[in-house]
mmCIF file of all heavy atoms in Angstrom:
data_model
loop_
_atom_site.group_PDB
_atom_site.id
_atom_site.type_symbol
_atom_site.label_atom_id
_atom_site.label_comp_id
_atom_site.label_asym_id
_atom_site.label_seq_id
_atom_site.Cartn_x
_atom_site.Cartn_y
_atom_site.Cartn_z
ATOM 1 N N ALA A 55 5.589 14.739 7.351
ATOM 2 C CA ALA A 55 6.618 13.770 7.714
ATOM 3 C C ALA A 55 6.205 12.961 8.913
ATOM 4 O O ALA A 55 5.520 13.425 9.795
ATOM 5 C CB ALA A 55 7.928 14.500 8.010
ATOM 6 N N GLY A 56 6.707 11.698 8.928
ATOM 7 C CA GLY A 56 6.476 10.840 10.082
ATOM 8 C C GLY A 56 5.682 9.642 9.699
ATOM 9 O O GLY A 56 4.798 9.733 8.890
ATOM 10 N N VAL A 57 6.004 8.489 10.250
ATOM 11 C CA VAL A 57 5.244 7.296 9.911
ATOM 12 C C VAL A 57 3.858 7.340 10.481
ATOM 13 O O VAL A 57 2.927 6.882 9.877
ATOM 14 C CB VAL A 57 5.988 6.032 10.375
ATOM 15 C CG1 VAL A 57 6.118 5.945 11.871
ATOM 16 C CG2 VAL A 57 5.349 4.812 9.778
ATOM 17 N N LEU A 58 3.673 7.938 11.655
ATOM 18 C CA LEU A 58 2.359 8.090 12.249
ATOM 19 C C LEU A 58 2.366 9.419 12.969
ATOM 20 O O LEU A 58 2.688 9.483 14.152
ATOM 21 C CB LEU A 58 2.048 6.958 13.228
ATOM 22 C CG LEU A 58 1.906 5.578 12.626
ATOM 23 C CD1 LEU A 58 1.730 4.544 13.712
ATOM 24 C CD2 LEU A 58 0.750 5.534 11.676
ATOM 25 N N LEU A 59 2.026 10.472 12.276
ATOM 26 C CA LEU A 59 2.207 11.793 12.854
ATOM 27 C C LEU A 59 1.336 11.998 14.089
ATOM 28 O O LEU A 59 1.719 12.707 15.007
ATOM 29 C CB LEU A 59 1.878 12.856 11.800
ATOM 30 C CG LEU A 59 2.772 12.804 10.545
ATOM 31 C CD1 LEU A 59 2.370 13.902 9.592
ATOM 32 C CD2 LEU A 59 4.220 12.947 10.935
ATOM 33 N N ALA A 60 0.180 11.409 14.090
ATOM 34 C CA ALA A 60 -0.708 11.626 15.219
ATOM 35 C C ALA A 60 -0.211 10.972 16.481
ATOM 36 O O ALA A 60 -0.707 11.229 17.569
ATOM 37 C CB ALA A 60 -2.113 11.104 14.898
ATOM 38 N N SER A 61 0.790 10.097 16.360
ATOM 39 C CA SER A 61 1.299 9.406 17.539
ATOM 40 C C SER A 61 2.812 9.440 17.563
ATOM 41 O O SER A 61 3.461 8.453 17.866
ATOM 42 C CB SER A 61 0.800 7.965 17.566
ATOM 43 O OG SER A 61 1.174 7.329 16.377
ATOM 44 N N ALA A 62 3.391 10.584 17.243
ATOM 45 C CA ALA A 62 4.847 10.672 17.120
ATOM 46 C C ALA A 62 5.540 10.303 18.420
ATOM 47 O O ALA A 62 6.570 9.628 18.430
ATOM 48 C CB ALA A 62 5.242 12.089 16.698
ATOM 49 N N THR A 63 4.999 10.750 19.540
ATOM 50 C CA THR A 63 5.650 10.445 20.817
ATOM 51 C C THR A 63 5.693 8.960 21.065
ATOM 52 O O THR A 63 6.698 8.394 21.513
ATOM 53 C CB THR A 63 4.893 11.135 21.965
ATOM 54 O OG1 THR A 63 4.880 12.544 21.715
ATOM 55 C CG2 THR A 63 5.565 10.850 23.298
ATOM 56 N N THR A 64 4.579 8.283 20.730
ATOM 57 C CA THR A 64 4.540 6.836 20.910
ATOM 58 C C THR A 64 5.568 6.141 20.041
ATOM 59 O O THR A 64 6.272 5.237 20.477
ATOM 60 C CB THR A 64 3.132 6.304 20.551
ATOM 61 O OG1 THR A 64 2.179 6.973 21.370
ATOM 62 C CG2 THR A 64 3.065 4.800 20.749
ATOM 63 N N LEU A 65 5.682 6.578 18.779
ATOM 64 C CA LEU A 65 6.607 5.932 17.860
ATOM 65 C C LEU A 65 8.039 6.063 18.321
ATOM 66 O O LEU A 65 8.810 5.116 18.297
ATOM 67 C CB LEU A 65 6.470 6.565 16.473
ATOM 68 C CG LEU A 65 5.119 6.388 15.785
ATOM 69 C CD1 LEU A 65 5.146 7.078 14.440
ATOM 70 C CD2 LEU A 65 4.783 4.939 15.626
ATOM 71 N N ILE A 66 8.408 7.261 18.757
ATOM 72 C CA ILE A 66 9.784 7.472 19.164
ATOM 73 C C ILE A 66 10.108 6.685 20.418
ATOM 74 O O ILE A 66 11.172 6.087 20.567
ATOM 75 C CB ILE A 66 10.040 8.982 19.370
ATOM 76 C CG1 ILE A 66 9.903 9.715 18.033
ATOM 77 C CG2 ILE A 66 11.413 9.225 19.953
ATOM 78 C CD1 ILE A 66 9.905 11.220 18.160
ATOM 79 N N SER A 67 9.136 6.654 21.356
ATOM 80 C CA SER A 67 9.401 5.956 22.606
ATOM 81 C C SER A 67 9.538 4.465 22.421
ATOM 82 O O SER A 67 10.265 3.795 23.146
ATOM 83 C CB SER A 67 8.275 6.248 23.613
ATOM 84 O OG SER A 67 7.052 5.731 23.150
ATOM 85 N N THR A 68 8.816 3.900 21.420
ATOM 86 C CA THR A 68 8.932 2.455 21.198
ATOM 87 C C THR A 68 10.212 2.091 20.476
ATOM 88 O O THR A 68 10.659 0.955 20.542
ATOM 89 C CB THR A 68 7.757 1.941 20.340
ATOM 90 O OG1 THR A 68 7.779 2.612 19.087
ATOM 91 C CG2 THR A 68 6.424 2.180 21.039
ATOM 92 N N GLY A 69 10.757 3.047 19.744
ATOM 93 C CA GLY A 69 11.957 2.749 18.963
ATOM 94 C C GLY A 69 11.675 1.904 17.744
ATOM 95 O O GLY A 69 12.578 1.463 17.065
ATOM 96 N N ALA A 70 10.390 1.669 17.435
ATOM 97 C CA ALA A 70 10.071 0.799 16.304
ATOM 98 C C ALA A 70 10.265 1.500 14.976
ATOM 99 O O ALA A 70 10.680 0.902 14.006
ATOM 100 C CB ALA A 70 8.618 0.314 16.413
ATOM 101 N N LEU A 71 9.909 2.784 14.923
ATOM 102 C CA LEU A 71 9.985 3.511 13.674
ATOM 103 C C LEU A 71 10.658 4.847 13.914
ATOM 104 O O LEU A 71 10.543 5.424 14.981
ATOM 105 C CB LEU A 71 8.579 3.779 13.108
ATOM 106 C CG LEU A 71 7.725 2.568 12.804
ATOM 107 C CD1 LEU A 71 6.348 3.026 12.368
ATOM 108 C CD2 LEU A 71 8.353 1.724 11.715
ATOM 109 N N HIS A 72 11.322 5.362 12.894
ATOM 110 C CA HIS A 72 11.875 6.705 12.973
ATOM 111 C C HIS A 72 10.821 7.689 12.518
ATOM 112 O O HIS A 72 10.163 7.487 11.518
ATOM 113 C CB HIS A 72 13.121 6.790 12.086
ATOM 114 C CG HIS A 72 13.608 8.190 11.921
ATOM 115 N ND1 HIS A 72 13.814 9.012 12.991
ATOM 116 C CD2 HIS A 72 13.899 8.894 10.807
ATOM 117 C CE1 HIS A 72 14.231 10.173 12.552
ATOM 118 N NE2 HIS A 72 14.280 10.126 11.220
ATOM 119 N N SER A 73 10.656 8.803 13.221
ATOM 120 C CA SER A 73 9.513 9.665 12.980
ATOM 121 C C SER A 73 9.704 10.668 11.874
ATOM 122 O O SER A 73 8.749 11.272 11.441
ATOM 123 C CB SER A 73 9.173 10.433 14.263
ATOM 124 O OG SER A 73 10.248 11.271 14.619
ATOM 125 N N ALA A 74 10.923 10.898 11.396
ATOM 126 C CA ALA A 74 11.083 11.973 10.417
ATOM 127 C C ALA A 74 10.885 11.530 8.982
ATOM 128 O O ALA A 74 9.943 11.955 8.340
ATOM 129 C CB ALA A 74 12.436 12.647 10.598
ATOM 130 N N PRO A 75 11.745 10.641 8.393
ATOM 131 C CA PRO A 75 11.588 10.406 6.968
ATOM 132 C C PRO A 75 10.587 9.342 6.609
ATOM 133 O O PRO A 75 10.078 9.338 5.497
ATOM 134 C CB PRO A 75 12.991 9.974 6.532
ATOM 135 C CG PRO A 75 13.543 9.316 7.731
ATOM 136 C CD PRO A 75 12.968 10.064 8.909
ATOM 137 N N ALA A 76 10.327 8.393 7.495
ATOM 138 C CA ALA A 76 9.570 7.220 7.092
ATOM 139 C C ALA A 76 8.110 7.536 6.879
ATOM 140 O O ALA A 76 7.474 8.219 7.660
ATOM 141 C CB ALA A 76 9.717 6.133 8.151
ATOM 142 N N GLU A 77 7.569 6.999 5.764
ATOM 143 C CA GLU A 77 6.154 7.064 5.461
ATOM 144 C C GLU A 77 5.624 8.477 5.338
ATOM 145 O O GLU A 77 4.471 8.744 5.632
ATOM 146 C CB GLU A 77 5.345 6.319 6.542
ATOM 147 C CG GLU A 77 5.369 4.830 6.344
ATOM 148 C CD GLU A 77 4.734 4.479 5.032
ATOM 149 O OE1 GLU A 77 3.561 4.745 4.862
ATOM 150 O OE2 GLU A 77 5.441 3.970 4.156
ATOM 151 N N ALA A 78 6.418 9.432 4.927
ATOM 152 C CA ALA A 78 5.903 10.766 4.646
ATOM 153 C C ALA A 78 4.928 10.690 3.490
ATOM 154 O O ALA A 78 5.020 9.823 2.640
ATOM 155 C CB ALA A 78 7.047 11.713 4.301
ATOM 156 N N ALA A 79 3.974 11.613 3.451
ATOM 157 C CA ALA A 79 2.982 11.588 2.380
ATOM 158 C C ALA A 79 3.582 11.977 1.044
ATOM 159 O O ALA A 79 3.011 11.708 0.003
ATOM 160 C CB ALA A 79 1.822 12.517 2.715
ATOM 161 N N ALA A 80 4.738 12.635 1.057
ATOM 162 C CA ALA A 80 5.503 12.846 -0.169
ATOM 163 C C ALA A 80 6.666 11.889 -0.175
ATOM 164 O O ALA A 80 7.060 11.369 0.855
ATOM 165 C CB ALA A 80 6.005 14.290 -0.246
ATOM 166 N N ALA A 81 7.224 11.642 -1.354
ATOM 167 C CA ALA A 81 8.273 10.638 -1.441
ATOM 168 C C ALA A 81 9.593 11.123 -0.885
ATOM 169 O O ALA A 81 10.436 10.325 -0.522
ATOM 170 C CB ALA A 81 8.452 10.214 -2.901
ATOM 171 N N SER A 82 9.837 12.421 -0.809
ATOM 172 C CA SER A 82 11.092 12.921 -0.282
ATOM 173 C C SER A 82 11.126 12.818 1.229
ATOM 174 O O SER A 82 10.132 13.044 1.898
ATOM 175 C CB SER A 82 11.283 14.392 -0.668
ATOM 176 O OG SER A 82 11.415 14.522 -2.051
ATOM 177 N N ALA A 83 12.288 12.489 1.786
ATOM 178 C CA ALA A 83 12.447 12.432 3.228
ATOM 179 C C ALA A 83 12.744 13.822 3.764
ATOM 180 O O ALA A 83 13.398 14.632 3.131
ATOM 181 C CB ALA A 83 13.588 11.489 3.597
ATOM 182 N N VAL A 84 12.246 14.098 4.976
ATOM 183 C CA VAL A 84 12.537 15.355 5.642
ATOM 184 C C VAL A 84 13.923 15.288 6.242
ATOM 185 O O VAL A 84 14.286 14.291 6.865
ATOM 186 C CB VAL A 84 11.497 15.606 6.754
ATOM 187 C CG1 VAL A 84 11.856 16.861 7.528
ATOM 188 C CG2 VAL A 84 10.112 15.729 6.156
ATOM 189 N N PRO A 85 14.745 16.331 6.096
ATOM 190 C CA PRO A 85 16.069 16.296 6.717
ATOM 191 C C PRO A 85 15.959 16.055 8.206
ATOM 192 O O PRO A 85 15.134 16.641 8.896
ATOM 193 C CB PRO A 85 16.622 17.696 6.408
ATOM 194 C CG PRO A 85 15.862 18.157 5.213
ATOM 195 C CD PRO A 85 14.497 17.554 5.348
ATOM 196 N N ALA A 86 16.804 15.170 8.726
ATOM 197 C CA ALA A 86 16.746 14.818 10.132
ATOM 198 C C ALA A 86 17.290 15.943 10.994
ATOM 199 O O ALA A 86 18.183 16.687 10.600
ATOM 200 C CB ALA A 86 17.553 13.553 10.388
ATOM 201 N N THR A 87 16.741 16.087 12.184
ATOM 202 C CA THR A 87 17.259 17.015 13.172
ATOM 203 C C THR A 87 18.042 16.214 14.194
ATOM 204 O O THR A 87 17.900 14.986 14.278
ATOM 205 C CB THR A 87 16.111 17.749 13.873
ATOM 206 O OG1 THR A 87 15.359 16.790 14.629
ATOM 207 C CG2 THR A 87 15.201 18.425 12.861
ATOM 208 N N PRO A 88 18.869 16.866 15.023
ATOM 209 C CA PRO A 88 19.630 16.091 16.022
ATOM 210 C C PRO A 88 18.754 15.234 16.913
ATOM 211 O O PRO A 88 19.142 14.150 17.327
ATOM 212 C CB PRO A 88 20.346 17.194 16.807
ATOM 213 C CG PRO A 88 20.495 18.310 15.825
ATOM 214 C CD PRO A 88 19.249 18.273 14.998
ATOM 215 N N ALA A 89 17.545 15.715 17.191
ATOM 216 C CA ALA A 89 16.674 14.945 18.092
ATOM 217 C C ALA A 89 16.026 13.763 17.404
ATOM 218 O O ALA A 89 15.529 12.861 18.063
ATOM 219 C CB ALA A 89 15.587 15.861 18.656
ATOM 220 N N THR A 90 15.989 13.776 16.064
ATOM 221 C CA THR A 90 15.285 12.715 15.349
ATOM 222 C C THR A 90 16.164 12.047 14.309
ATOM 223 O O THR A 90 15.678 11.485 13.352
ATOM 224 C CB THR A 90 14.027 13.275 14.666
ATOM 225 O OG1 THR A 90 14.418 14.297 13.744
ATOM 226 C CG2 THR A 90 13.056 13.844 15.670
ATOM 227 N N SER A 91 17.483 12.116 14.469
ATOM 228 C CA SER A 91 18.380 11.536 13.483
ATOM 229 C C SER A 91 18.203 10.028 13.416
ATOM 230 O O SER A 91 18.155 9.366 14.446
ATOM 231 C CB SER A 91 19.835 11.860 13.842
ATOM 232 O OG SER A 91 20.053 13.249 13.779
ATOM 233 N N PRO A 92 18.113 9.469 12.204
ATOM 234 C CA PRO A 92 17.962 8.020 12.085
ATOM 235 C C PRO A 92 19.248 7.316 12.462
ATOM 236 O O PRO A 92 20.328 7.895 12.435
ATOM 237 C CB PRO A 92 17.650 7.819 10.597
ATOM 238 C CG PRO A 92 18.285 8.998 9.929
ATOM 239 C CD PRO A 92 18.141 10.144 10.896
ATOM 240 N N ALA A 93 19.101 6.057 12.811
ATOM 241 C CA ALA A 93 20.287 5.261 13.108
ATOM 242 C C ALA A 93 21.130 5.115 11.859
ATOM 243 O O ALA A 93 20.615 5.124 10.744
ATOM 244 C CB ALA A 93 19.863 3.878 13.610
ATOM 245 N N PRO A 94 22.443 5.005 12.011
ATOM 246 C CA PRO A 94 23.292 4.768 10.840
ATOM 247 C C PRO A 94 22.861 3.488 10.134
ATOM 248 O O PRO A 94 22.432 2.524 10.773
ATOM 249 C CB PRO A 94 24.694 4.621 11.444
ATOM 250 C CG PRO A 94 24.615 5.274 12.780
ATOM 251 C CD PRO A 94 23.210 5.071 13.255
ATOM 252 N N VAL A 95 22.948 3.502 8.822
ATOM 253 C CA VAL A 95 22.588 2.306 8.067
ATOM 254 C C VAL A 95 23.572 1.200 8.402
ATOM 255 O O VAL A 95 24.784 1.354 8.268
ATOM 256 C CB VAL A 95 22.596 2.592 6.556
ATOM 257 C CG1 VAL A 95 22.370 1.312 5.782
ATOM 258 C CG2 VAL A 95 21.533 3.625 6.209
ATOM 259 N N GLN A 96 23.039 0.089 8.856
ATOM 260 C CA GLN A 96 23.860 -1.037 9.264
ATOM 261 C C GLN A 96 24.114 -1.976 8.088
ATOM 262 O O GLN A 96 23.289 -2.086 7.176
ATOM 263 C CB GLN A 96 23.168 -1.818 10.400
ATOM 264 C CG GLN A 96 22.907 -0.977 11.641
ATOM 265 C CD GLN A 96 24.186 -0.478 12.263
ATOM 266 O OE1 GLN A 96 25.150 -1.233 12.409
ATOM 267 N NE2 GLN A 96 24.212 0.799 12.629
#
Side-chain angles (χ1 to χ4, degrees):
V57 65
L58 294 175
L59 299 181
S61 56
T63 302
T64 303
L65 296 179
I66 295 170
S67 64
T68 60
L71 300 175
H72 170 50
S73 63
E77 281 298 297
S82 295
V84 175
T87 66
T90 60
S91 296
V95 174
Q96 300 298 315

